[in-house]
Amino acid sequence: MYTHEEAKQLRKNFWILFGKRCKVVPELQGKNKKWVLYDTKIASLDLKFEVDRQSAKVMIELNHRSENKRLDVFEKLQHYRAILEAGFENGLEWDFLYVRESGEEVCRIFVEQQGFDIHRQNQWPDIFNFLIDNMLKLESNFMEIRDVLKEEISG
């Protein structure tokens, strides 16, 4: 069992090593390519990684404070479900009401791998591969619809 500080340092080391692992991914090399993540060009829509003691997730998260606006964007994304799920063997999970530990309500569209534990360093290479492979797909699929989605939301 780790102390709070040890667990915090372990998570920090995980993300540092993940960043180093990403530097050798061919799709992320050249022209200083980085993950889209918070730079989606759509307010309150982020692409995210999440790893905890039970699983790893790659997701689109809608975190607008207004429930109506959040659900409106979620509904618009559902129209592009086939595009977003392309390449995902079992599709994606669509959760219109996820409550974070902080109590904040968000919408999430994600792929998850159960059984991963960030505290098990021997699993890190497999977790890194899961995160990278799935974010490459999700990011690519999202970029196909980003501009038209942005127009629909702002228009």
Side-chain angles (χ1 to χ4, degrees):
M1 199 63 163
Y2 293 103
T3 66
H4 178 73
E5 280 305 311
E6 290 170 333
K8 184 178 176 180
Q9 186 61 47
L10 188 74
R11 284 190 303 278
K12 183 179 178 182
N13 291 343
F14 174 89
W15 292 112
I16 288 169
L17 284 175
F18 179 67
K20 289 179 180 178
R21 170 65 176 85
C22 289
K23 287 182 180 179
V24 299
V25 175
E27 294 89 343
L28 296 174
Q29 292 178 348
K31 296 187 181 176
N32 224 3
K33 168 74 170 91
K34 294 184 179 181
W35 299 110
V36 170
L37 301 179
Y38 299 102
D39 191 23
T40 62
K41 310 290 188 226
I42 298 175
S44 302
L45 186 153
D46 303 319
L47 302 180
K48 298 176 86 174
F49 298 108
E50 184 175 276
V51 183
D52 58 28
R53 300 288 319 272
Q54 290 83 36
S55 67
K57 292 182 184 122
V58 171
M59 71 188 83
I60 295 173
E61 185 175 89
L62 306 170
N63 51 34
H64 199 285
R65 287 183 181 154
S66 163
E67 181 180 23
N68 288 337
K69 288 185 180 184
R70 198 171 55 243
L71 293 175
D72 182 53
V73 175
F74 187 80
E75 189 176 300
K76 287 181 183 350
L77 284 167
Q78 287 179 316
H79 292 133
Y80 300 103
R81 187 176 193 135
I83 294 170
L84 288 172
E85 292 186 342
F88 290 96
E89 189 176 319
N90 298 313
L92 297 168
E93 297 290 323
W94 294 70
D95 188 348
F96 70 92
L97 179 59
Y98 178 85
V99 181
R100 290 185 184 163
E101 284 183 20
S102 66
E104 181 184 7
E105 295 178 354
V106 297
C107 298
R108 286 184 166 182
I109 303 163
F110 62 94
V111 60
E112 176 179 36
Q113 177 67 53
Q114 292 283 333
F116 282 144
D117 182 348
I118 195 168
H119 286 192
R120 294 188 178 162
Q121 295 182 42
N122 64 327
Q123 290 185 346
W124 287 8
D126 293 331
I127 296 172
F128 294 161
N129 290 337
F130 171 82
L131 295 175
I132 291 166
D133 293 346
N134 286 287
M135 185 56 86
L136 285 170
K137 281 188 271 190
L138 187 63
E139 187 178 88
S140 175
N141 295 351
F142 172 75
M143 294 306 285
E144 280 190 47
I145 66 165
R146 180 180 72 180
D147 292 340
V148 71
L149 182 66
K150 186 177 174 184
E151 256 182 56
E152 286 182 15
I153 292 168
S154 61

